[in-house]
Amino acid sequence: MSSENENGGQVTIRHVAARAGVALSSVSRTLSGHPDVSPAMRAKVEEAVKALGYEPDFLAQSLRSGTTRNIGFIIRDIANPLFALVARACEQELRRNGYSMILMNSDGSVETESKNLMLLRRRRVDGVIASLVAEDSPYIKKTILSLRRPLVLLDRDMKDLNASAVITDHYTGVFEATKHLLDKGHRRIAFVTGSENVYTTRDRLRGYRAAFTAAGEEVSEKWMALGGFDPEYALVHTRNFLSKNPRPTAIIAGGIGSTAGSLRALNELEIEIGKDIAFVALDEWPLFDIFRPKISSVYRDAQAMGVEAAHLLLEMLNGKNPSESVIETKFTARTSSEGGL
Amino acid sequence: MSSENENGGQVTIRHVAARAGVALSSVSRTLSGHPDVSPAMRAKVEEAVKALGYEPDFLAQSLRSGTTRNIGFIIRDIANPLFALVARACEQELRRNGYSMILMNSDGSVETESKNLMLLRRRRVDGVIASLVAEDSPYIKKTILSLRRPLVLLDRDMKDLNASAVITDHYTGVFEATKHLLDKGHRRIAFVTGSENVYTTRDRLRGYRAAFTAAGEEVSEKWMALGGFDPEYALVHTRNFLSKNPRPTAIIAGGIGSTAGSLRALNELEIEIGKDIAFVALDEWPLFDIFRPKISSVYRDAQAMGVEAAHLLLEMLNGKNPSESVIETKFTARTSSEGGL
C-alpha cells in the first residue's frame, strides 16, 4: 500500500527502506511498533519517514494489526439535539485518542439498527457505541452478541450483553419534578414519552410513581402515554389528553421529541404554558435558554455522556471489563411549571 | 481475512471455496464482481456464501478494490441543528448507496479542520463532504488539493479546487427579509453573523445591500457585525448595538448560533422581539415552530442539502465532473418582525 505526500507524489514503505538503508521488513517492524527493534534502527526509519513525508497507511496498518481504529456510533437520530451533543463530545474524545467515528442513524427502526450493526461488524470497527431503539428485541440481542467487539450502551440496561453503559439517573430528576407539581396541588399530571422497552422510560416512570406514593396520592394509568419518543406521538396524545374533561392541569414531556410534540399541541389549542397549564420538559437542548416562557426542566449533561461513552469504550479496548458510568439529573423550576390550577 | 458468522464461528473465503467445490481464486473473482465469471460459477459461489453465512470482509475488499466505501464528513459542529439535519439526510443517502460516513467536527478551527482532512486522507476515504471554516486559508487549500479524492463543499465557493458544491441562494431570502423591514420603515437594521471569508456571509450581505439600494437607502457599515457564527460573538455584538443611542430598530441574525446569541442579549436586556424590536433569523431549526413569539425567518431545506451533497459525491465517484447544486431560500414574515418603530 502507498500513501501520497503533500505534493501528490507516491511515497511508499519501499522509499522509506531505501532512504534509511535498511530492509523493508525492518521498516515494517518499526512502524508496527514491534518490540524487537533497536533504537538505532528506529532512529534511521523515523528520519526517513520525516524526510520523505511518508504517512503510514491505515489500510496497511489495519491488516498488520487487525484493528481499524474506527468506532461505530449508532443512534436513533443525529438531528435530536441531545444526541448531537453526545455525538460531538464523543467524536472529539475518540479523535483525541486516535479513533474515528462512523455515524449511523437507525431512524427509530429496529430493522435498520440491526442492519447497521451487521454493517459495522463487516467494517471491522474496533468497538460500538449505541443508543438502541429497544431493549426487548431478541434479534438485536443476537446481532449484538455476534459483534464480539467492545460495546458501550447509552442509557440502556441489558446486563446479559457484556457491555459497558452510560446510564442516566432519571429517577432523581423526575421524582423532584413530579413532587414540585404535586406540592403545588396538581393531581392530573399527564406523562407523555417513549415506550417502557427502554431503561430511559422505566427509570423516569419510577421517579414519577415514587413521587405520587411519597405524597400519599394514587397514580392513574389514564394520564400516561408511553408509546413513542417522536414529536408526532406526543402531538396526538397531548391533543387527546387536552380534549378530556377534566383535562390534565400539568404535563411532563419525556425527551426532546416529546417536548416538541406536546408544545405543538398546546400552541395549536392556544393553551399557554406557565399560565393555563403547568409544563415540565425532561432533557434540555442547546437553544433551550432562549425560549419564552422559560421551561422548567430535568437536565442531564449530554457532553458528559459523550465523553464517558468514549472513556468506557477506550477502557474496554485496553482490556478492562465492562463497567457503568452514571450521569446525574437535576430538576429546575422555571416559569413553565407555574399556573394550570 | 475472515469474517464471523452469527454463531461466532470463523467463516472464511476458504470455507466458501470448499463448500462450492471451486478454486479459491474463483471465489475471489466472483465476490469482487469480476466480469470473467460464468453464471454457473456465480450460482455455486452464491449458494455457498448463503449457506455458510459468509460475510465479505470490507478490509479484504478494500485491498482488492482500492476503495474503502467510507466518506469523510467534516463540519464545524454537529450540535448545530442545521448541520445535524444535513448530516442525517446525507448519512441515510450514502448508506442507501453502500457508503458509510466518518464524522469529524472541526470545532470552528482551521487547524483542526486541516488535521481532520489529513486524517481522512490517511484513512483512504473514497470522498469527502465538508463545510469548511474559511475559504481564504491557503493551508486548507493545499491540504484539500493533496487529498486527490472527490470533494463536495457545503455552501463554499472555491472554484480552483475541482470540487462539487451544494450552494444556497441566500441572496433571494435575505433580500426579501431586508425589503420587508425597509418597507415597514426600518432604517437601522443591524446584521449580526459570521465573517466574509465564507460564501454564506458574502451572499447574505449581497441580498442585504441590494434591498437597501432598491429602496434608495444607504447601507451603513456601522450596523454590521461580521465576525463569528458562534452565539458568544452575536451576544456581545447585539449587546453592543443595543447600548447605542439611537439603537437599531431591527436585527437580522445570520445562522443558528447568531440567532441564539442575539436572542440571549435581547432576553437579558428584556427587549421583547416583535414589539420593542423587529427580529429576523436566517436559518431555522427542528424545534423552530414551537418558539413564542413566532420567529420570522429565511428558510432553507437542510434535508435537501444533505441528500444533494450525497448525490454530487456519488456522481463524482461514478466518474462525472464536479458540478453545483443550488438550494433555494424563502423568507416568511411572522410575529417577531413586527414592532420596533
Side-chain angles (χ1 to χ4, degrees):
Chain A
M1 303 307 305
S2 66
S3 57
E4 297 159 25
N5 69 14
E6 294 205 359
N7 304 315
Q10 300 288 322
V11 178
T12 71
I13 193 170
R14 283 172 209 283
H15 296 110
V16 176
R19 164 103 188 190
V22 303
L24 203 58
S25 59
S26 302
V27 178
S28 178
R29 268 208 309 278
T30 307
L31 293 177
S32 65
H34 199 282
D36 235 21
V37 173
S38 72
M41 172 66 76
R42 186 167 304 281
K44 272 193 234 173
V45 170
E46 281 172 0
E47 187 280 328
V49 161
K50 210 173 158 190
L52 296 170
Y54 172 75
E55 291 177 342
D57 186 288
F58 263 88
L59 215 50
Q61 280 183 336
S62 292
L63 283 172
R64 281 196 295 268
S65 64
T67 64
T68 57
R69 298 192 82 81
N70 275 329
I71 303 298
F73 188 86
I74 296 189
I75 42 164
R76 183 189 300 267
D77 177 6
I78 188 71
N80 177 315
L82 188 93
F83 286 139
L85 283 174
V86 174
R88 180 180 63 181
C90 191
E91 189 275 321
Q92 287 166 338
E93 197 59 24
L94 289 174
R95 178 153 39 88
R96 257 195 285 276
N97 286 279
Y99 289 85
S100 294
M101 174 191 279
I102 294 183
L103 172 74
M104 291 183 179
N105 295 282
S106 54
D107 315 328
S109 147
V110 172
E111 200 195 331
T112 304
E113 184 171 88
S114 181
K115 279 189 190 157
N116 285 344
L117 284 164
M118 288 194 283
L119 185 56
L120 288 175
R121 183 174 66 178
R122 287 180 56 204
R123 284 199 166 278
R124 308 190 134 252
V125 293
D126 293 348
V128 174
I129 295 169
S131 171
L132 299 173
V133 172
E135 290 167 7
D136 55 358
S137 159
Y139 191 51
I140 289 284
K141 265 190 199 175
K142 203 179 153 201
T143 310
I144 283 181
L145 285 170
S146 78
L147 260 180
R148 302 205 304 178
R149 281 153 184 70
L151 169 69
V152 176
L153 297 173
L154 296 172
D155 226 32
R156 297 293 178 264
D157 184 20
M158 299 169 85
K159 301 277 185 231
D160 43 345
L161 290 182
N162 199 34
S164 287
V166 181
I167 286 286
T168 305
D169 169 19
H170 299 281
Y171 176 89
T172 304
V174 176
F175 179 90
E176 288 303 323
T178 312
K179 181 178 183 306
H180 167 80
L181 294 169
L182 287 162
D183 285 351
K184 281 182 178 288
H186 294 276
R187 292 300 174 266
R188 297 191 302 281
I189 305 172
F191 190 19
V192 182
T193 192
S195 147
E196 288 182 83
N197 67 357
V198 292
Y199 159 83
T200 314
T201 297
R202 293 196 304 276
D203 203 47
R204 284 170 171 172
L205 204 55
R206 210 162 58 82
Y208 174 81
R209 287 183 188 279
F212 273 86
T213 305
E217 296 290 334
E218 276 202 31
V219 178
S220 166
E221 308 288 328
K222 81 180 238 202
W223 298 119
M224 296 182 199
L226 311 174
F229 286 108
D230 52 299
E232 294 65 35
Y233 177 85
L235 177 68
V236 168
H237 288 268
T238 305
R239 259 190 212 142
N240 176 37
F241 282 145
L242 295 170
S243 71
K244 291 193 190 301
N245 190 5
R247 72 184 192 195
T249 58
I251 296 177
I252 300 175
I256 308 276
S258 306
T259 296
S262 275
L263 288 178
R264 266 167 212 161
L266 291 160
N267 279 353
E268 183 185 280
L269 296 163
E270 297 184 347
I271 297 170
E272 204 176 319
I273 61 170
K275 200 179 128 203
D276 307 329
I277 200 164
F279 185 86
V280 175
L282 310 185
D283 284 339
E284 296 189 358
W285 57 85
L287 306 167
F288 201 80
D289 61 309
I290 59 176
F291 270 85
R292 286 286 158 116
K294 297 282 179 201
I295 297 180
S296 303
S297 76
V298 173
Y299 172 78
R300 58 173 156 165
D301 187 343
Q303 172 94 9
M305 289 176 71
V307 172
E308 277 306 304
H311 285 172
L312 290 175
L313 195 73
L314 293 166
E315 280 181 11
M316 289 175 88
L317 288 169
N318 287 328
K320 288 207 185 154
N321 286 331
S323 62
E324 219 173 81
S325 175
V326 176
I327 303 290
E328 300 302 319
T329 56
K330 189 182 179 315
F331 170 64
T332 304
R334 300 192 183 91
T335 320
S336 78
S337 57
E338 302 292 317
L341 292 169
Chain B
M1 303 307 305
S2 65
S3 56
E4 297 159 24
N5 69 15
E6 295 204 358
N7 305 315
Q10 300 287 324
V11 177
T12 71
I13 194 171
R14 285 173 207 282
H15 296 110
V16 175
R19 163 102 189 193
V22 303
L24 202 60
S25 59
S26 303
V27 177
S28 176
R29 268 208 308 281
T30 307
L31 293 178
S32 65
H34 198 284
D36 235 21
V37 173
S38 72
M41 172 67 76
R42 186 167 303 280
K44 273 194 235 173
V45 170
E46 283 173 0
E47 187 280 330
V49 161
K50 209 172 157 189
L52 296 170
Y54 171 75
E55 291 178 343
D57 186 288
F58 263 87
L59 214 51
Q61 281 184 336
S62 291
L63 282 172
R64 280 197 296 269
S65 64
T67 64
T68 57
R69 298 191 83 80
N70 275 329
I71 303 298
F73 189 85
I74 296 189
I75 42 165
R76 183 187 301 266
D77 177 6
I78 190 69
N80 177 315
L82 189 94
F83 286 139
L85 282 174
V86 174
R88 180 180 64 181
C90 191
E91 189 275 319
Q92 287 166 338
E93 197 59 25
L94 289 173
R95 178 154 38 88
R96 257 195 286 277
N97 286 279
Y99 289 85
S100 293
M101 174 191 278
I102 294 184
L103 173 75
M104 291 183 180
N105 295 282
S106 53
D107 316 327
S109 147
V110 171
E111 198 195 332
T112 304
E113 185 171 88
S114 182
K115 279 190 190 156
N116 285 343
L117 283 164
M118 289 193 283
L119 185 56
L120 288 175
R121 183 174 67 178
R122 287 180 57 203
R123 284 198 167 279
R124 308 190 134 253
V125 293
D126 293 348
V128 173
I129 296 169
S131 172
L132 300 173
V133 172
E135 289 168 7
D136 55 359
S137 159
Y139 191 50
I140 289 286
K141 265 191 198 172
K142 201 180 155 201
T143 310
I144 283 181
L145 285 169
S146 77
L147 260 179
R148 304 206 302 179
R149 282 153 183 70
L151 169 70
V152 176
L153 297 173
L154 296 172
D155 226 33
R156 296 293 179 266
D157 183 21
M158 297 169 84
K159 300 280 185 229
D160 44 344
L161 290 182
N162 199 34
S164 287
V166 180
I167 286 286
T168 305
D169 169 18
H170 298 282
Y171 176 89
T172 304
V174 176
F175 178 90
E176 288 304 323
T178 312
K179 182 180 182 306
H180 167 80
L181 294 169
L182 286 162
D183 285 351
K184 282 182 178 288
H186 293 276
R187 292 299 175 266
R188 296 191 304 279
I189 305 171
F191 190 19
V192 182
T193 191
S195 149
E196 288 182 82
N197 67 357
V198 293
Y199 160 83
T200 314
T201 296
R202 293 195 305 276
D203 203 46
R204 286 170 170 171
L205 204 55
R206 210 164 57 83
Y208 173 81
R209 287 183 188 279
F212 273 86
T213 305
E217 295 291 334
E218 277 203 30
V219 179
S220 167
E221 308 288 328
K222 81 180 239 203
W223 298 119
M224 298 182 198
L226 312 174
F229 286 109
D230 52 298
E232 293 66 33
Y233 177 85
L235 177 68
V236 168
H237 288 267
T238 305
R239 258 189 212 143
N240 177 37
F241 282 145
L242 295 170
S243 72
K244 291 194 190 300
N245 188 8
R247 72 184 193 195
T249 58
I251 295 177
I252 300 175
I256 308 276
S258 306
T259 297
S262 275
L263 289 177
R264 266 168 211 160
L266 291 161
N267 279 354
E268 184 185 280
L269 297 163
E270 296 184 348
I271 298 171
E272 205 176 319
I273 61 169
K275 200 179 129 205
D276 307 328
I277 201 164
F279 185 86
V280 174
L282 311 184
D283 285 340
E284 296 189 359
W285 57 82
L287 306 166
F288 202 81
D289 62 308
I290 59 176
F291 270 84
R292 286 286 157 118
K294 297 281 180 202
I295 297 181
S296 303
S297 77
V298 173
Y299 172 78
R300 58 173 157 167
D301 186 343
Q303 172 95 7
M305 289 176 71
V307 172
E308 277 306 304
H311 286 171
L312 290 175
L313 194 74
L314 293 166
E315 280 181 11
M316 289 175 89
L317 288 169
N318 288 327
K320 289 208 183 153
N321 285 329
S323 62
E324 218 174 82
S325 176
V326 176
I327 302 291
E328 300 301 320
T329 55
K330 191 182 177 315
F331 170 64
T332 304
R334 300 193 183 90
T335 320
S336 78
S337 56
E338 302 291 318
L341 290 169

